[in-house]
């Protein structure tokens, strides 16, 4: 038997869904307008910039973004056309490819990053008092742990996306 949502649960669910979509849309629009790149490309450039030698296997990019390899391949093609990324064969695997962040890609990321951070602050971070922001972080980590395959993926992904490293 279906456990229907209560009125409060329904209001919360709908507010969360709409707020999530509107926030994502706003961040996407701001980044496109300010830096000429969608959030997906920005995320890939960030991952590459944080990787050793600014290089990751294509399969690792797919893993960290929870994307299909074909989607990553398409995005990397676009980044290559912009001169921000280049592909190299992976020496350990004839079928494997590496994505390498170019100097031009790093410069594009360095231009986009302040614009993206300003947008994130304006539309999320600065709107919430510290206690709400802490609770949002707790809620987000709970959802990530549930929605990803393992808690380890969540921990590593969260550390990468927040710039925190395990010590």
């Amino acid at each position: 038997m279906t456990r229907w949502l209560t009125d409060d649960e329904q209001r919360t669910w709908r507010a969360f869904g709409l707020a999530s979509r509107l926030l994502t849309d706003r961040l996407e629009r701001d980044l496109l307008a300010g830096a000429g790149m969608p959030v997906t490309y920005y995320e890939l450039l960030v991952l590459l910039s944080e990787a050793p030698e600014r290089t990751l296997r294509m399969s690792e990019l797919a893993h960290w973004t929870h994307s299909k390899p074909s989607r990553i391949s398409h995005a990397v093609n676009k980044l290559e056309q912009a001169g921000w990324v280049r592909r190299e064969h992976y020496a350990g695997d004839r079928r494997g490819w590496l994505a390498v962040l170019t100097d031009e890609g790093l410069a594009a990321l360095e231009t986009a990053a302040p614009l993206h951070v300003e947008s994130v602050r304006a539309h999320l971070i600065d709107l919430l008092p510290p206690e709400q922001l802490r609770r949002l972080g707790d809620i987000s980590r709970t959802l990530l742990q549930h929605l990803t395959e393992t808690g380890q993926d969540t921990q590593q992904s969260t550390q990468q996306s927040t710039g925190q490293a395990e010590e």
Side-chain angles (χ1 to χ4, degrees):
M1 182 165 174
T2 301
R3 237 180 84 216
W4 296 105
L5 300 178
T6 66
D7 288 345
D8 280 346
E9 290 169 338
Q10 185 70 253
R11 280 190 293 277
T12 299
W13 164 242
R14 288 182 180 182
F16 170 78
L18 182 56
S20 297
R21 286 189 301 278
L22 291 174
L23 177 61
T24 300
D25 290 348
R26 176 59 64 91
L27 296 176
E28 181 86 23
R29 279 196 319 270
D30 288 355
L31 196 55
L32 274 170
M37 76 175 71
V39 171
T40 304
Y41 297 178
Y42 179 84
E43 182 180 24
L44 293 173
L45 295 179
V46 167
L47 287 169
L48 289 169
S49 76
E50 294 172 347
E53 299 180 36
R54 301 187 323 210
T55 302
L56 284 172
R57 290 185 68 166
M58 298 285 282
S59 59
E60 290 176 298
L61 286 173
H63 170 78
W64 288 117
T65 59
H66 296 277
S67 299
K68 294 182 179 185
S70 60
R71 184 170 182 238
I72 293 301
S73 184
H74 175 76
V76 169
N77 283 341
K78 295 291 188 182
L79 293 170
E80 272 187 302
Q81 290 171 7
W84 296 344
V85 170
R86 73 174 182 275
R87 285 185 210 231
E88 295 178 358
H89 274 290
Y90 180 59
D93 180 355
R94 288 186 343 198
R95 295 180 302 150
W97 286 92
L98 299 171
V100 182
L101 181 66
T102 64
D103 291 340
E104 293 82 5
L106 184 59
L109 178 60
E110 289 170 345
T111 298
L115 302 170
H116 183 61
V117 170
E118 286 176 20
S119 182
V120 170
R121 283 201 164 282
H123 304 301
L124 178 65
I125 303 297
D126 293 345
L127 296 176
L128 303 175
E131 179 56 26
Q132 282 186 330
L133 190 59
R134 186 194 63 71
R135 286 195 325 251
L136 178 62
D138 290 345
I139 291 165
S140 297
R141 283 184 289 279
T142 297
L143 292 172
L144 280 170
Q145 186 168 0
H146 171 74
L147 296 170
T148 56
E149 292 179 1
T150 67
Q152 183 64 24
D153 286 348
T154 302
Q155 181 181 10
Q156 289 174 350
S157 183
T158 300
Q159 286 172 345
Q160 280 195 339
S161 66
T162 61
Q164 298 173 347
E166 246 182 327
E167 303 197 65

